Amino acid sequence: KNEFNSLLLIFVDDLDRLEKDELQAVLRTIRFLSDLKKIKFILAYDKKLIHQLLFPNDSTGSLAADYLG
């Protein structure tokens, strides 16, 4: 019986440097993999830049806050 008992920690840096379509693809992948109990992510990004990239017409930041938490 093969079991993977270790935690896999994935560091993702500079998310705010991606193009919008690239960022959306990365976030979809992270969301998909986050259901796996042994995989955790540490994300590094400028929150303001991510908000602007994902929701350029959201002047209040509420859509981005709801999406990113």
Side-chain angles (χ1 to χ4, degrees), residues 44-57:
Y45 57 89
D46 181 307
K47 192 172 185 177
K48 191 176 208 177
L49 290 175
I50 293 291
H51 286 189
Q52 291 171 351
L53 187 61
L54 291 175
F55 303 99
N57 298 323

Side-chain angles (χ1 to χ4, degrees), residues 15-24 53:
L15 282 173
D16 51 10
R17 295 184 183 197
L18 297 174
E19 297 292 329
K20 182 178 181 176
D21 59 333
E22 295 170 324
L23 175 60
Q24 290 171 326
L53 187 61

Side-chain angles (χ1 to χ4, degrees), residues 12 14 54 56 60 62 68-69:
V12 183
D14 293 332
L54 291 175
T60 65
S62 62
L68 295 171

